[in-house]
C-alpha cells in the first residue's frame, strides 16, 4: 500500500509522517520482538545495542525486516522507484534510563548528497511521551542544515543543535504502537528525552536513499548500499552483499558518526 497524496503532501510540508497503521502485527510482531531479544542476547555485557550500527549487513533476519514490502512502499512513495538501504540501528532506552537523543538533524552527520534520504523508525514495543518517544519540530527541514556543537555525556549522539535555533514549543511527540513506524526527512530537527517509565523503549531505525544520492567515501569509507527497489542507474556507491546467516551480528563498534565538517 503506497502513501496517499495527502500523506505525501503532509510529509513534504512537515518533514515527517506518523499515524500509519502498524506494519508488523500478530505473529510478525511477536517474531520482531523475539528476534530482537535473540540478536541482542549475542552481545557481551559491556556492549550496548545502541552502539552497534548496520545490523542489516550481517543478519539476514534484520535485512528482511528492512525490505518488508509495506515499508518499501512507503519509502517509494517519498523517494521514487529507485532507492537503496544503507543504514540500520537500534536506539534503546532501558526503564528509567536518563539517556537522551539531543536535538539534531541527521543530514548534519551524513556525507550524503543530494539530501534525498528517508528514515523509517519502527517501534518494537509501544513508544509514547512517558518512555522517551522521538519528538520532531514540524517544518524544520526547510531551514537548511544548521551548525551543531558537541553534546553532553548523557547523550546517545556526539553533536547537538544549539538551543535558540528552533522552538521546542513546536515539538510533536511521535507516539507509535508496537509494530508501527514513523517516517522522517534527513533535515528535520528531532530528538528524544530519557525514559521515565518502567517499560523498555526500543526503535529499529532504517535509512534509505534515492539512487542519485552519493556518499563521500573519503569521509565514510565503510559505506555500502543495498538496492532494495528499482534499478541503480547511477552506481555512485559500493554495493553490499545480502547476508545469509539469520542472526549474525555486526562487529562491535562504538557509535561514531560522520559530521558534515
Ligand atoms: O530514537 C530516537 O530518539 C532518535 C532517532 C533518530 O535520531 C533518528 O532516527 O534519526
Amino acid at each position: 500500500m503506497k502513501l496517499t497524496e495527502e500523506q505525501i503532501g503532509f510529509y513534504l510540508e512537515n518533514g515527517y509522517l506518523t499515524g500509519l497503521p502498524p506494519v508488523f502485527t500478530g505473529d510478525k510482531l511477536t517474531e520482531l520482538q523475539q528476534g530482537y531479544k535473540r540478536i541482542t542476547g549475542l552481545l557481551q555485557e559491556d556492549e550496548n545495542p545502541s552502539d552497534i550500527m548496520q545490523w542489516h549487513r550481517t543478519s539476514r533476519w534484520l535485512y528482511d525486516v528492512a525490505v518488508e514490502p509495506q515499508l518499501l512502499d512507503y519509502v517509494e512513495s517519498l523517494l521514487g522507484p529507485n532507492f537503496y538501504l544503507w543504514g540500520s540501528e537500534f536506539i534503546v532506552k532501558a526503564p528509567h534510563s536518563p539517556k537522551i537523543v539531543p536535538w539534531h538533524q541527521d543530514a548534519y552527520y551524513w556525507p550524503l548528497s543530494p539530501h534525498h534520504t528517508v528514515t523509517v523508525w519502527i517501534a518494537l514495543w509501544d513508544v509514547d511521551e512517558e518512555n522517551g518517544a522521538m519528538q520532531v519540530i514540524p517544518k524544520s527541514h526547510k531551514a537548511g542544515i544548521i551548525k551543531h556543537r558537541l553534546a553532553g555525556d548523557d547523550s546517545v549522539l556526539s553533536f547537538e543543535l544549539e538551543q535558540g535555533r528552533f522552538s521546542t514549543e513546536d515539538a510533536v511527540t511521535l507516539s507509535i504502537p508496537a509494530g508501527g513506524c514513523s517516517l522522517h526527512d534527513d533535515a528535520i530537527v528531532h530528538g528524544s528525552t530519557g525514559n521515565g517509565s518502567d517499560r523498555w523503549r526500543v526503535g529499529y531505525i532504517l535509512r534509505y536513499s534515492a539512487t542519485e544520492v552519493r556518499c563521500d567515501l573519503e569521509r565514510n569509507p565503510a559505506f555500502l548500499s543495498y538496492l532494495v527497489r528499482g534499478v541503480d542507474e547511477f552506481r555512485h556507491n559500493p554495493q553490499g552483499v545480502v547476508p545469509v546467516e539469520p542472526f549474525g551480528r555486526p562487529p562491535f563498534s562504538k557509535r561514531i558518526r560522520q559530521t558534515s565538517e
Side-chain angles (χ1 to χ4, degrees):
M1 201 176 66
K2 298 269 166 58
L3 297 174
T4 64
E5 286 302 317
E6 201 186 350
Q7 288 169 324
I8 295 170
F10 183 94
Y11 178 92
L12 295 176
E13 178 61 17
N14 293 284
Y16 73 98
L17 189 65
T18 186
L20 297 161
V23 173
F24 301 90
T25 56
D27 289 350
K28 271 185 159 179
L29 176 59
T30 307
E31 224 174 83
L32 191 61
Q33 295 171 334
Q34 288 179 347
Y36 169 78
K37 287 181 182 162
R38 178 165 170 193
I39 203 154
T40 51
L42 301 175
L43 303 182
Q44 307 295 322
E45 248 173 43
D46 60 344
E47 293 179 319
N48 180 339
S50 301
D51 284 339
I52 296 174
M53 315 289 284
Q54 323 309 17
W55 295 84
H56 65 282
R57 292 190 188 179
T58 48
S59 161
R60 180 56 189 254
W61 168 65
L62 282 168
Y63 179 88
D64 286 344
V65 172
V67 297
E68 167 70 29
Q70 180 59 83
L71 297 180
L72 298 188
D73 281 354
Y74 289 155
V75 176
E76 182 171 342
S77 305
L78 301 171
L79 293 182
N82 305 318
F83 58 94
Y84 59 84
L85 165 73
W86 61 267
S88 63
E89 62 192 285
F90 291 107
I91 296 194
V92 179
K93 295 178 193 167
H96 300 286
S97 165
K99 281 276 178 199
I100 64 158
V101 176
W103 294 108
H104 69 285
Q105 292 170 298
D106 295 333
Y108 178 80
Y109 284 86
W110 300 336
L112 300 179
S113 63
H115 293 309
H116 203 191
T117 296
V118 168
T119 290
V120 174
W121 200 108
I122 304 169
L124 272 68
W125 285 271
D126 294 349
V127 291
D128 49 42
E129 205 158 336
E130 247 205 333
N131 67 351
M134 192 167 75
Q135 295 181 300
V136 295
I137 309 291
K139 300 186 169 71
S140 55
H141 63 307
K142 293 182 170 178
I145 303 304
I146 310 167
K147 194 165 162 39
H148 290 46
R149 65 177 180 197
L150 271 181
D153 289 344
D154 55 356
S155 166
V156 173
L157 304 181
S158 328
F159 297 96
E160 65 181 4
L161 278 164
E162 288 177 30
Q163 300 295 319
R165 303 300 303 266
F166 56 94
S167 171
T168 48
E169 279 175 17
D170 300 335
V172 171
T173 299
L174 305 186
S175 296
I176 311 174
C181 69
S182 62
L183 311 172
H184 69 261
D185 183 275
D186 57 1
I188 196 166
V189 174
H190 61 291
S192 61
T193 60
N195 180 354
S197 79
D198 295 333
R199 293 172 289 134
W200 281 82
R201 183 275 210 190
V202 181
Y204 183 46
I205 303 169
L206 300 164
R207 322 283 188 185
Y208 305 87
S209 296
T211 46
E212 85 261 19
V213 175
R214 183 196 294 273
C215 179
D216 177 350
L217 296 175
E218 287 200 359
R219 293 197 23 232
N220 185 1
F223 188 86
L224 290 175
S225 65
Y226 292 73
L227 185 71
V228 288
R229 277 264 161 106
V231 287
D232 183 356
E233 319 96 308
F234 297 94
R235 299 191 157 263
H236 284 326
N237 305 293
Q239 289 170 10
V241 177
V242 176
V244 177
E245 203 188 321
F247 289 88
R249 50 151 288 177
F252 179 58
S253 65
K254 274 274 175 210
R255 176 177 292 270
I256 298 169
R257 297 233 192 157
Q258 310 293 314
T259 76
S260 308
E261 294 187 319

